[in-house]
Amino acid sequence: MKQKLWTLLLVLGLFLSVLAACNNNSNKDTEKETEGSTEEGEKVLNFTNPETIPSMDPSLATDESSFIYLAATMEGLYRLDEEAKPAPGIATEHKVSEDGLTWTFTLREDAVWQNGEPVTANDFVYAWQRAVNPDTGSEYGPYMMNGVIKNAEAVSSGEMAPEELGVKADGDYTFVVELENPTPYFESLTTFGTFFPLNQKFVEEQGDKFATSSETLLANGPYTMGEWESTSSSWDLVKNKDYWDDDVVKMDKLTFEVIKDPQTAVNLYTSGAVDRVTLTSDLVDQYKSHEDYTVTADTFVYFIKFNQETTEALANKNIRAAISRAYDKQALVDEILNNGSLVANGLVPADFTPMPESGDDFREVSGDLVTYDLEKAKELWQKGLEEIGKDSIELELLTDDDATTKTMVQYIANQLSTNLEGLTINLKQVPKEQRLDLDTNMNYELQISRWGPDFLDPFTFMNLWTTDSGNNAMGYSNPEYDKLVQETATTLSQDNPARYDNFLRAEKMLFEDAAIAPIFQSSRAQLVSPKIKGVYVNPFGATFEYKYADVASE
């Protein structure tokens, strides 16, 4: 079951949708998009997106939407293929030294940027140095490269110049990378958005305007970004005819529009204007017998972050532990979400990675680390209140403002306020981009957040909460936790059984400290048209691979 489900995730090719224009200002757009999958003789597919794109800068992107569109318009050394395995991208091959520390990539000579300039090894050198340069302010650069690329940690902390990063160009088409330690998952890292190349001259010419509009972006991937600005509620992906593998790209254009109301999206689907919609719990009951209904598991885990530096209450472990146990997660996934999601009682998701020797699922081996337990929650709550000398607490819960999240957080807030006497929860619901900014600046108390894996290894989850992680942003620090996680990338890097033992111990410690409170592992209940093919769902990295998108022949 574990391996079958993971394999299923790799081969699903169902996820493209044809979206009729939902722009109330243009009847012409609506007429155009209901014509089907062609527009003036071109192949066109139309999609929805749940939010605006927070960032198209590979160094600054941190969220699902950003990485989806970066992967569609850009390409790194490798990219994930139809089976979510690294396949040649800008690199045609690589060699690894016997000690595993030096990787030499041979780059193809027919890859060009959107402006016609060749993609060279220097583009990778510049991009990787930029990602760890503290002046850039990247979260993902240090998160992905520290402890992996030689000198990355010293560069990101300002102790060394960016030029000291372990990367160099040996001519235009040979890129050499020196690692800090042998890294089992390094090849898969090279498919991720943070590692995409950048044309130095173009980026520096754009200055602060870089990656804020279609005109200030430069693609080297399957598509270019059309009609987009940083505040846009609609945009296009247009086939990049200069892409080295453009023969494989079948679609002329993919259009996207932000639709936050699920009922609006369903109305478009049932009218034939949209080919994929995500269903909220009330709509699941209405459409689960529909022939196009499908449920797809994914590897995103939702949790509550506690900002330990904001209030005295959240600095108290018993208060945090009480909140972690005070909401009924089973009722949440069964009744509120109603979409196949699973209760999360840990951090690393189910059916994500097997143990190296037994093959057992990591989640099953690690077990349930924090469960709904109202009696225990009340006991810890009273103990925490006594320790801080209060009989009531008022806390603000920061969340996204999409329809599904609104329903979920109202349920959680009600559960917490009802089950923990003296607790008042005030909701602060904002657009996702704003929530991410508030998170980065630690300007919140409680927050509903989530994480999807960036590569196929537990490290992608466990490294989030080390003291110096740019994704921590909640004041949590445990030197023993840091040591366990760091050892998996250093002294134990070539001993997978020992690495996974450290991961198990570190995950247990994370919840003993009540650092975060797990909620659920998400699934998607959707209506998906059977005529859509060639869009693959990745178990890590960018959620969707659009390179192979096509429309089935009728």
Side-chain angles (χ1 to χ4, degrees):
M1 176 64 179
K2 295 180 284 294
Q3 293 302 316
K4 287 181 180 178
L5 180 53
W6 187 76
T7 301
L8 179 61
L9 280 169
L10 302 184
V11 300
L12 280 173
L14 299 175
F15 289 85
L16 278 173
S17 59
V18 179
L19 170 63
C22 297
N23 185 341
N24 293 328
N25 298 321
S26 176
N27 291 329
K28 181 179 179 180
D29 285 346
T30 302
E31 293 171 0
K32 172 190 70 176
E33 294 182 9
T34 54
E35 291 175 0
S37 61
T38 60
E39 178 184 315
E40 298 179 356
E42 294 184 326
K43 278 190 174 182
V44 179
L45 291 169
N46 305 288
F47 296 77
T48 62
N49 203 67
E51 68 254 338
T52 58
I53 303 173
S55 179
M56 283 296 290
D57 185 332
S59 301
L60 300 180
T62 63
D63 68 289
E64 181 185 21
S65 284
S66 297
F67 286 122
I68 287 173
Y69 299 105
L70 282 169
T73 58
M74 300 190 72
E75 186 160 271
L77 295 167
Y78 290 93
R79 73 182 300 122
L80 296 178
D81 65 11
E82 300 95 321
E83 297 182 348
K85 295 179 180 178
I90 303 302
T92 58
E93 62 179 2
H94 69 269
K95 296 179 180 178
V96 184
S97 61
E98 289 186 10
D99 61 7
L101 296 178
T102 302
W103 290 56
T104 303
F105 297 88
T106 300
L107 308 188
R108 64 178 67 255
E109 299 185 20
D110 57 345
V112 297
W113 291 101
Q114 188 178 348
N115 63 2
E117 295 181 7
V119 180
T120 68
N122 186 68
D123 296 329
F124 287 94
V125 171
Y126 170 70
W128 292 24
Q129 289 177 348
R130 181 176 182 265
V132 293
N133 187 334
D135 292 341
T136 304
S138 171
E139 291 183 23
Y140 256 72
Y143 166 69
M144 299 292 274
M145 296 186 189
N146 284 4
V148 178
I149 311 300
K150 186 177 180 179
N151 296 334
E153 192 162 359
V155 173
S156 65
S157 65
E159 297 174 11
M160 285 187 175
E163 292 74 23
E164 296 298 316
L165 186 69
V167 294
K168 68 177 182 179
D170 185 4
D172 286 343
Y173 299 106
T174 301
F175 179 54
V176 183
V177 181
E178 291 184 80
L179 303 187
E180 199 76 60
N181 302 278
T183 304
Y185 50 86
F186 182 63
E187 186 178 1
S188 71
L189 277 184
T190 67
T191 69
F192 195 74
T194 308
F195 294 86
F196 288 165
L198 289 170
N199 183 296
Q200 182 174 0
K201 179 182 177 182
F202 181 85
V203 173
E204 292 179 349
E205 284 178 348
Q206 303 307 316
D208 292 340
K209 293 183 179 180
F210 173 65
T212 60
S213 67
S214 301
E215 290 70 27
T216 60
L217 288 170
L218 198 62
N220 74 325
Y223 300 93
T224 63
M225 183 69 84
E227 301 184 21
W228 175 78
E229 294 183 355
S230 58
T231 57
S232 293
S233 59
S234 63
W235 54 87
D236 301 334
L237 292 177
V238 181
K239 180 177 179 176
N240 182 4
K241 296 181 180 179
D242 293 320
Y243 176 52
W244 69 269
D245 202 21
D246 70 304
D247 288 345
V248 173
V249 182
K250 305 301 182 184
M251 301 307 301
D252 294 297
K253 183 191 293 185
L254 311 176
T255 75
F256 297 82
E257 186 152 0
V258 175
I259 302 293
K260 292 190 175 184
D261 179 53
Q263 186 61 63
T264 299
V266 169
N267 290 344
L268 290 168
Y269 188 91
T270 56
S271 71
V274 175
D275 281 313
R276 182 192 68 197
V277 292
T278 297
L279 303 174
T280 50
S281 58
D282 56 323
L283 294 171
V284 167
D285 289 335
Q286 186 175 351
Y287 289 97
K288 62 184 177 183
S289 60
H290 194 288
E291 61 181 355
D292 295 343
Y293 177 78
T294 183
V295 174
T296 305
D298 65 29
T299 48
F300 278 89
V301 175
Y302 285 69
F303 46 82
I304 297 175
K305 292 180 69 172
F306 301 106
N307 189 341
Q308 297 184 31
E309 296 184 3
T310 303
T311 68
E312 180 186 16
L314 294 179
N316 183 277
K317 184 171 77 170
N318 287 315
I319 294 292
R320 300 194 304 270
I323 293 173
S324 300
R325 293 162 172 78
Y327 47 93
D328 188 340
K329 291 180 277 192
Q330 194 64 56
L332 172 66
V333 300
D334 290 345
E335 301 169 20
I336 305 301
L337 299 176
N338 192 27
N339 61 3
S341 294
L342 307 172
V343 166
N345 292 321
L347 176 61
V348 177
D351 301 308
F352 171 60
T353 180
M355 298 296 291
E357 293 183 320
S358 67
D360 294 334
D361 184 54
F362 181 95
R363 179 73 272 130
E364 290 185 4
V365 174
S366 189
D368 293 333
L369 301 179
V370 55
T371 61
Y372 172 58
D373 186 337
L374 189 52
E375 183 177 348
K376 183 67 173 178
K378 290 181 176 180
E379 176 187 332
L380 291 166
W381 179 250
Q382 290 304 318
K383 186 176 181 180
L385 290 178
E386 291 173 6
E387 289 172 346
I388 65 174
K390 294 184 177 180
D391 57 11
S392 64
I393 297 173
E394 186 170 343
L395 295 172
E396 183 177 81
L397 177 59
L398 173 66
T399 77
D400 292 340
D401 65 350
D402 61 278
T404 299
T405 301
K406 285 181 179 180
T407 304
M408 174 184 67
V409 298
Q410 288 169 358
Y411 169 83
I412 291 176
N414 179 264
Q415 283 268 294
L416 294 177
S417 299
T418 301
N419 293 335
L420 299 177
E421 185 177 357
L423 175 61
T424 300
I425 299 291
N426 300 315
L427 298 179
K428 182 175 183 177
Q429 298 175 306
V430 300
K432 184 176 182 178
E433 185 175 5
Q434 184 179 346
R435 178 182 65 80
L436 293 173
D437 287 340
L438 293 170
D439 175 72
T440 298
N441 295 313
M442 292 183 66
N443 188 10
Y444 71 93
E445 294 178 349
L446 300 171
Q447 179 187 171
I448 301 289
S449 187
R450 70 172 185 169
W451 191 259
D454 300 322
F455 45 89
L456 196 60
D457 192 271
F459 191 84
T460 187
F461 287 94
M462 306 310 296
N463 192 42
L464 294 171
W465 316 118
T466 56
T467 300
D468 296 330
S469 171
N471 292 285
N472 187 319
M474 59 184 189
Y476 171 66
S477 179
N478 183 327
E480 182 60 25
Y481 179 88
D482 293 349
K483 180 174 181 290
L484 288 170
V485 175
Q486 289 163 1
E487 283 178 349
T488 68
T490 54
T491 58
L492 302 179
S493 62
Q494 293 183 297
D495 186 348
N496 236 14
R499 291 179 72 246
Y500 273 67
D501 183 63
N502 269 33
F503 288 136
L504 291 169
R505 293 164 60 196
E507 188 183 42
K508 181 178 181 181
M509 186 176 297
L510 186 71
F511 293 107
E512 288 175 344
D513 292 342
I516 59 173
I519 308 173
F520 68 96
Q521 178 178 339
S522 61
S523 291
R524 284 176 255 235
Q526 298 176 310
L527 297 177
V528 181
S529 171
K531 69 183 179 182
I532 303 304
K533 69 175 185 177
V535 178
Y536 299 97
V537 180
N538 294 319
F540 59 93
T543 303
F544 299 113
E545 175 55 75
Y546 288 124
K547 174 177 176 177
Y548 310 98
D550 203 353
V551 178
S553 301
E554 295 184 2

